[in-house]
């Protein structure tokens, strides 16, 4: 059995390995690697206001990552978080427009619920295809991201178009401040409280309900659970829908929080980064909170990089990708090691 | 090539897989140009023998000679070069390939370029020479089983094979398909090919073979000898061997037995199957009209050579197979359209064939494995207390004498016998009304084996019905209150004690003698 502490230590080692890899790459390209890393650290945590900025990016990442982890536990590789996030934002924006003028204590929960419904809907059809006819969910959820991206373009330049918009980037009108759950800083009691509530709820679900035990078993050996009388629909569909709903909630939070509107192509790498958060944390809730803060910090630092180290902001994506690379390689190595353990015993 | 040398000769071939000796000191010579049958029960070493001859398995000791020339054992290329080809029991052609692509792949030709049409032309001729009816442009997976087998044989004959080995070629075929196959085999014989058939159905053996050899528990007990000089009864005896239950199991037998069965027999049957039909699948034939009836407090044994529909039977009762016709009644309730969860709630318990995939999640903890069935009977959001589940699991495992460290250890860290006890602890609970035990002692040592039988007897004596599926007749005769035999998806015989080994063996192999009706 792997202790939680060892998991943390291992994740840290792999993140450091990835950072070293990036540093070597940047040094090789003629940048000062040390300056790059220190400016990342400053932009993420050290500079005044940097931590707040990391939280701003960390909250939606955390919400989406919990969703990814729920699907993963049940054995489904939902890489459609991006699309589910977009659909959540679209539904939230639609609800906000429809309910405009209502009392905030009703409209805000409605916006969040609409976001969850949108995300769940975008997970529903891959789930039906997977459970009904075995269509690989990796393909369908991945393709769904592109469709959702185009839907977002259409919605923001059509039905939800901001009439006063400049036309630079198609977007919806800005949400009235009364319905916002945070200002543009993205950090407010409401956003942080929401992350906390979701974190606790998901922890309880995973560790203290029949669903938690059974979805974990189904993820590791679906055949065994089927022979125990599980309907693959019950566990599979609920995992899939919850996974999408959480990504959709992140979309609603982003819409009603820091961004205040939806815009075509906003937060383009969000779903991918959230998947990384879940992988780095090995699906533990506390680990995902920490990893979300770390990757949120990287996103925050992206603004500082061009100023401090003369590096384009895209360098952050190189760091993300290196971590993904190392984590994937780790998964392979671990698979092989555990596989050997099973055959030798 | 020496003209009188045997086509295939084995000398003292011994094969071990770990601690298991699959073949021990097999010495046999198969003459050229004849049809030879190698027969035996499951686990007798037939497939291993075929694989040694084809170079797929490296024997620990012994030699193989083809047409008098010793070949390097354990090398497919060497066996191929000497003209030996093997057609596997489960077909080996890539399902997504077209026939012509698969043939070209099998020919392992030079790495030149091909056109599709060129390939088709080339192989159409080869197929029609062998009277295999298959369009070279069709995909393997779209072909009927008979044609797939024809293509497999045609593939094996590309390289001018002199010795063709077919491993259980009739297992997947209909009676008509078997006729076609036998006609093909006879044509091959006429063209000078030596054919070795691995078979277990006696009628088929006697219908086609020129000589036969019998393997039992890895040893060659007879042959090759002319098939004409042997009758069904003698061959059955040779295959099944002398009866005699294992002493450890005999000692564990309680005195109750049939008497206790009688006291429950007036009740509604725990299980009734009426004319049950399911479709065939990759794992064997489907059910073709199975009628069964088990009373509470009774153990019914299902005998039969593996792959005769036993898996379909278990899946159908579990609700995991597509039932095409017939009825399934659990305790008098028709459950034919109800899912396994509902059937389990009605008292169905299953010890499945595959302990490590269907029975347990090896990478999950013992307490999760143990509690899965119970948790599935609750709502998904019902709260659980892992510490309490761990405690309950611990007391259950202690009661069943499982050797383990902690309920949190993964199931994969247990030995086979202990893993099976975890499944018993989960499946044999007070709510069990019908227990399906599919090969419950496979791979277990004698201690664990007798533990399993005792547990099933105890469940029977408490009033549960037990359906035991085993290919070990000694075990079945010892535990069962009645025995039914499955052959090709049907019940080919029903027996009650005292069991006649010959009669059961005949029903298993499809020989003429039919079992006494119950």
């Amino acid at each position: 059995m792997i202790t939680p502490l060892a998991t943390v230590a291992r994740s840290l080692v792999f993140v450091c390995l990835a950072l070293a890899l990036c540093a070597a790459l940047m040094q090789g390209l003629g940048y000062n690697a040390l300056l790059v890393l220190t400016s990342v650290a400053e932009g993420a945590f050290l500079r005044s206001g940097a931590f707040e900025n990391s939280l701003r990016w960390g909250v939606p990442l955390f919400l989406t990552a919990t969703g990814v982890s729920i699907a993963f536990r049940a054995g489904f590789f939902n890489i459609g978080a991006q699309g589910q996030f977009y659909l959540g934002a679209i539904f939230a924006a639609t609800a906000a427009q429809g309910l405009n003028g209502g009392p905030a204590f009703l409209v805000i929960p409605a916006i969040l619920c609409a976001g969850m419904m949108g995300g769940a809907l975008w997970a529903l059809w891959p789930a039906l295809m997977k459970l009904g006819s075995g269509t690989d969910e990796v393909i369908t959820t991945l393709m769904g991201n592109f469709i959702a991206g185009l839907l977002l373009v259409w919605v923001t330049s059509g039905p939800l178009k901001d009439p006063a918009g400049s036309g630079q980037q198609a977007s919806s009108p800005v949400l009235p401040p009364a319905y916002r759950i945070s200002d543009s800083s993205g950090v407010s009691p409401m956003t942080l409280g929401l992350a906390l509530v979701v974190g606790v709820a998901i922890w309880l679900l995973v560790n203290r309900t029949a669903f938690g035990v059974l979805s974990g078993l189904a993820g590791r050996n679906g055949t065994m659970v089927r022979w125990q009388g599980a309907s693959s629909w019950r566990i599979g569909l609920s995992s899939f829908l919850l996974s999408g709903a959480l990504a959709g909630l992140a979309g609603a939070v982003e819409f009603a929080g820091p961004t205040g509107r939806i815009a075509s192509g906003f937060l383009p790498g969000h779903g991918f980064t959230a998947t990384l958060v879940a992988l780095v944390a090995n699906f533990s809730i506390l680990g995902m909170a920490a990893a979300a803060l770390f990757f949120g910090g990287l996103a925050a630092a992206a603004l500082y990089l061009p100023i401090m180290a003369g590096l384009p902001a895209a360098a952050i994506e190189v760091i993300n990708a290196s971590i993904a690379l190392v984590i994937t390689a780790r998964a392979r190595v671990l698979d092989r090691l555990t596989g050997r353990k099973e055959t030798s015993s | 090539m020496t003209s009188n040398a045997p086509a295939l000769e084995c000398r003292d071939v011994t094969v071990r897989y770990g601690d298991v000796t699959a073949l021990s000191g097999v010495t046999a010579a198969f003459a050229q140009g004849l049809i030879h049958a190698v027969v035996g029960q499951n686990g007798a070493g037939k497939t291993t023998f075929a694989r040694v001859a084809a170079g797929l398995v490296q024997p620990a000791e012994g030699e193989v000679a083809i047409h008098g020339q010793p070949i390097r054992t354990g090398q497919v290329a060497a066996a191929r070069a000497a003209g030996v080809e093997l057609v596997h029991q489960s077909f080996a052609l890539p399902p997504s390939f077209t026939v012509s692509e698969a043939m070209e792949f099998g020919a392992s030709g030079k790495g030149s370029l091909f056109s599709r049409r060129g390939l088709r032309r080339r192989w159409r001729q080869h197929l029609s020479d062998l009277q295999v009816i298959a369009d070279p442009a069709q995909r393997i997976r779209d072909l009927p089983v008979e044609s797939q087998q024809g293509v497999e044989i045609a593939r094996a004959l590309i390289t001018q094979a002199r010795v063709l080995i077919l491993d259980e070629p009739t297992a997947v075929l209909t009676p008509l398909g078997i006729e076609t196959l036998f006609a093909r085999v006879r044509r091959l014989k006429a063209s000078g090919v030596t054919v070795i058939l691995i078979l277990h159905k006696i009628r088929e053996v006697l219908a086609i073979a020129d000589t036969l050899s019998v393997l039992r528990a890895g040893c060659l007990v007879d042959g090759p000898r002319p098939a004409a000089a042997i009758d069904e009864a003698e061959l059955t005896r040779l295959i099944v061997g002398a009866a005699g239950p294992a002493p450890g199991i005999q000692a564990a037998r309680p005195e109750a037995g049939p008497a206790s069965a009688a006291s429950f027999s007036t009740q509604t049957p725990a299980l009734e199957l009426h004319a049950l039909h399911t479709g065939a699948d990759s794992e064997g034939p489907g059910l073709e009209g199975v009628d069964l009836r088990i009373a509470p407090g009774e153990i019914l044994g299902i005998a039969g050579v593996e792959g005769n529909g036993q898996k379909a039977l278990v899946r159908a009762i579990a609700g995991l197979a597509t039932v095409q016709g017939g009825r399934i009644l659990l305790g008098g309730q028709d459950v034919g359209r109800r899912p396994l969860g509902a059937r389990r709630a009605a008292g169905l318990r299953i010890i499945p064939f595959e302990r490590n995939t269907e029975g347990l999640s090896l990478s999950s903890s013992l307490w999760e494995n143990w509690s899965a069935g119970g948790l599935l009977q609750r709502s998904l959001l019902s709260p659980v207390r892992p510490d309490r589940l761990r405690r309950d699991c611990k007391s259950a495992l202690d009661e069943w004498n499982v050797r383990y460290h902690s309920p949190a250890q993964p199931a994969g860290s247990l030995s086979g016998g202990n893993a099976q006890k975890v499944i018993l602890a989960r499946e044999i609970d007070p709510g069990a009304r019908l227990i399906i035990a599919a090969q419950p002692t496979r791979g277990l040592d004698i201690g664990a084996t007798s533990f399993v039988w005792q547990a099933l007897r105890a469940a029977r004596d408490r009033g549960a019905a037990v359906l035991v599926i085993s290919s070990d007749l000694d075990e079945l005769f010892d535990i069962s209150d009645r025995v039914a035999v499955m052959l090709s998806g049907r019940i080919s015989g029903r027996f009650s004690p005292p069991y006649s080994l010959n009669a059961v063996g005949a029903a298993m192999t499809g020989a003429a003698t039919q079992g006494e009706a119950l």
Side-chain angles (χ1 to χ4, degrees):
Chain A
M1 292 243 81
I2 304 162
T3 64
L5 203 66
T7 316
V8 170
R10 194 176 298 158
S11 290
L12 283 180
V13 165
F14 284 113
V15 167
C16 291
L17 198 66
L19 287 178
L21 201 71
C22 287
L25 184 73
M26 285 162 189
Q27 195 73 42
L29 287 171
Y31 295 95
N32 181 348
L34 199 64
L35 184 64
V36 172
L37 289 182
T38 51
S39 60
V40 166
E42 269 188 42
F45 303 106
L46 302 177
R47 205 165 261 267
S48 77
F51 184 70
E52 199 185 22
N53 207 2
S54 302
L55 274 177
R56 175 256 177 273
W57 296 105
V59 166
L61 279 178
F62 174 70
L63 294 176
T64 307
T66 53
V68 171
S69 76
I70 289 291
F72 234 73
R73 268 182 67 80
F76 302 109
F77 199 10
N78 172 16
I79 52 173
Q82 183 71 30
Q84 290 141 16
F85 172 83
Y86 277 167
L87 261 284
I90 292 173
F91 269 53
T94 312
Q97 195 166 53
L99 298 171
N100 200 356
F105 73 91
L106 287 180
V107 174
I108 290 177
I111 288 175
L112 298 178
C113 286
M116 291 175 71
M117 279 169 56
L121 181 77
W122 213 240
L124 176 66
W125 62 268
L128 292 179
M129 288 171 78
K130 170 73 176 185
L131 299 169
S133 54
T135 313
D136 192 341
E137 79 280 10
V138 174
I139 307 291
T140 50
T141 54
L142 179 67
M143 295 302 160
N145 290 340
F146 296 103
I147 303 172
L150 292 171
L151 259 172
L152 184 64
V153 171
W154 173 67
V155 167
T156 52
S157 55
L160 290 181
K161 185 174 161 50
D162 181 6
S166 65
Q168 269 289 356
Q169 187 189 24
S171 70
S172 70
V174 177
L175 188 67
Y179 301 144
R180 295 278 290 270
I181 59 171
S182 80
D183 57 13
S184 64
S185 76
V187 181
S188 73
M190 199 110 78
T191 53
L192 295 181
L194 199 63
L196 188 69
V197 167
V198 167
V200 170
I202 296 299
W203 187 89
L204 284 174
L205 183 73
V206 165
N207 294 296
R208 290 289 182 271
T209 65
F211 172 83
V213 176
L214 293 172
S215 71
L217 275 172
R220 276 161 285 180
N221 183 348
T223 310
M224 175 261 180
V225 183
R226 203 156 51 248
W227 278 90
Q228 286 299 303
S231 115
S232 55
W233 283 89
R234 203 161 66 124
I235 296 172
L237 198 60
S238 45
S239 306
F240 243 120
L241 292 185
L242 183 58
S243 174
L246 287 165
L249 179 64
V253 165
E254 185 63 37
F255 162 73
T259 309
R261 57 182 183 179
I262 55 172
S264 75
F266 77 140
L267 268 66
H270 174 77
F272 166 74
T273 313
T275 307
L276 267 185
V277 169
L279 283 172
V280 169
N282 213 7
F283 311 118
S284 98
I285 296 288
L286 270 181
M288 283 191 286
L293 205 57
F294 173 80
F295 282 93
L298 286 183
L303 300 172
Y304 286 78
L305 270 189
I307 310 162
M308 301 288 297
L311 215 61
I316 291 299
E317 286 177 25
V318 176
I319 297 181
N320 278 353
S322 320
I323 296 174
L325 194 72
V326 172
I327 292 287
T328 317
R330 176 197 76 159
R332 276 284 172 81
V333 171
L334 279 187
D335 276 355
R336 209 173 302 151
L337 285 179
T338 51
R340 194 174 298 153
K341 229 179 267 165
E342 268 179 23
T343 47
S344 69
S345 66
Chain B
M1 193 189 291
T2 340
S3 60
N4 281 332
L8 168 67
E9 191 176 7
C10 301
R11 282 181 223 104
D12 291 319
V13 170
T14 297
V15 176
R16 294 187 193 95
Y17 298 118
D19 299 337
V20 183
T21 304
L23 279 182
S24 103
V26 170
T27 299
F30 299 94
Q32 285 181 37
L34 294 177
I35 300 171
H36 305 277
V38 176
V39 297
Q41 280 188 291
N42 297 114
K46 299 178 308 241
T47 295
T48 303
F49 166 79
R51 292 188 173 172
V52 168
L56 278 165
V57 167
Q58 170 81 61
E61 293 154 30
E63 295 171 6
V64 175
I66 309 295
H67 295 298
Q69 303 288 321
I71 60 163
R72 289 190 63 178
T73 51
Q75 291 193 348
V76 179
R80 274 223 166 123
V84 180
E85 284 286 345
L86 170 64
V87 174
H88 293 269
Q89 184 171 4
S90 50
F91 297 152
L93 291 178
S96 61
F97 278 31
T98 65
V99 170
S100 55
E101 284 164 354
M103 300 291 283
E104 188 64 41
F105 179 63
S108 57
K110 317 93 221 164
S112 48
L113 294 169
F114 305 106
S115 75
R116 280 209 182 132
R117 205 185 303 158
L119 274 189
R120 269 179 230 151
R121 208 174 28 240
R122 175 164 165 197
W123 295 116
R124 183 168 287 132
Q125 187 58 43
H126 179 73
L127 290 168
S128 68
D129 286 350
L130 290 162
Q131 300 185 23
V132 175
I133 304 155
D135 178 358
Q138 254 190 314
R139 297 203 182 276
I140 298 291
R141 60 167 175 248
D142 298 332
L143 293 176
V145 175
E146 284 85 1
S147 307
Q148 271 190 46
Q149 189 176 53
V151 174
E152 288 269 357
I153 293 172
R155 199 272 313 152
L157 292 173
I158 291 171
T159 48
Q160 304 299 313
R162 308 295 305 146
V163 179
L164 182 65
I165 306 170
L166 305 176
D167 189 5
E168 296 282 6
T170 59
V172 291
L173 298 181
T174 61
L176 193 67
I178 292 173
E179 282 309 308
T180 318
L181 172 75
F182 284 178
R184 182 167 288 144
V185 166
R186 289 196 189 94
R187 279 197 301 278
L188 288 174
K189 176 190 172 187
S191 68
V193 177
T194 308
V195 182
I196 297 178
L197 297 169
I198 312 289
L199 290 172
H200 69 251
K201 291 183 187 154
I202 287 181
R203 282 191 174 171
E204 293 169 3
V205 172
L206 295 177
I208 182 87
D210 296 316
T211 82
L212 50 87
S213 313
V214 182
L215 284 171
R216 196 167 69 223
C219 299
L220 186 73
V221 292
D222 203 349
R225 60 188 261 184
I230 198 164
D231 63 11
E232 285 186 6
E234 189 184 357
L235 185 51
T236 306
R237 235 184 344 270
L238 281 171
I239 291 174
V240 181
I249 297 165
Q250 185 84 26
R253 179 164 211 165
E255 280 158 32
S260 69
S263 63
F264 295 104
S265 62
T266 49
Q267 301 173 15
T268 324
L271 173 75
E272 281 176 275
L273 305 179
H274 295 293
L276 199 60
H277 284 261
T278 69
D281 61 22
S282 56
E283 295 195 67
L287 303 181
E288 298 187 15
V290 167
D291 294 289
L292 278 182
R293 194 185 158 88
I294 314 175
E298 181 185 41
I299 297 181
L300 173 65
I302 299 284
V305 177
E306 264 171 63
N308 275 290
Q310 293 96 326
K311 291 201 168 182
L313 178 68
V314 174
R315 276 202 298 262
I317 298 172
L320 298 175
T322 316
V323 171
Q324 294 171 340
R327 297 203 302 150
I328 304 170
L329 284 85
L330 278 182
Q333 299 277 313
D334 194 330
V335 295
R337 296 185 164 275
R338 315 213 37 205
L340 177 55
R343 298 181 194 200
R344 277 189 173 268
L348 174 64
R349 299 289 183 272
I350 303 167
I351 299 160
F353 280 102
E354 305 295 335
R355 186 180 311 143
N356 297 337
T357 53
E358 296 165 353
L360 293 171
S361 163
L362 294 186
S363 55
S364 303
S365 67
L366 291 176
W367 71 267
E368 286 173 300
N369 273 295
W370 175 80
S371 56
L375 291 179
L376 277 164
Q377 296 296 330
R378 303 206 223 154
S379 118
L380 277 183
L381 287 178
S382 64
V384 299
R385 298 274 305 274
D387 53 342
R388 193 167 293 172
L389 285 178
R390 274 194 286 271
R391 206 179 56 214
D392 293 350
C393 170
K394 190 167 156 45
S395 62
L397 297 188
D398 289 342
E399 195 184 321
W400 284 84
N401 285 319
V402 182
R403 255 172 269 148
Y404 68 108
H405 307 298
S406 139
Q409 81 185 91
S413 61
L414 295 185
S415 71
N418 278 307
Q420 189 72 320
K421 284 184 191 172
V422 174
I423 297 180
L424 293 175
R426 183 181 65 203
E427 303 295 329
I428 305 183
D429 62 349
R433 312 286 285 280
L434 169 67
I435 300 164
I436 313 280
Q439 301 280 14
T441 59
R442 169 173 290 173
L444 303 188
D445 62 30
I446 192 137
T449 298
S450 93
F451 184 94
V452 169
W453 294 135
Q454 275 178 40
L456 291 175
R457 281 201 186 94
R460 183 259 319 263
D461 295 342
R462 281 198 309 273
V466 183
L467 181 74
V468 177
I469 292 147
S470 172
S471 45
D472 187 322
L473 287 182
D474 291 341
E475 286 186 352
L476 269 188
F477 289 174
D478 197 53
I479 187 155
S480 305
D481 299 321
R482 288 186 297 135
V483 166
V485 177
M486 286 196 78
L487 179 67
S488 306
R490 289 194 177 83
I491 302 293
S492 63
R494 295 167 200 269
F495 305 89
S496 45
Y499 303 108
S500 146
L501 190 64
N502 283 343
V504 174
M508 281 170 66
T509 49
T513 348
Q514 281 303 310
E516 318 95 78
L518 205 65

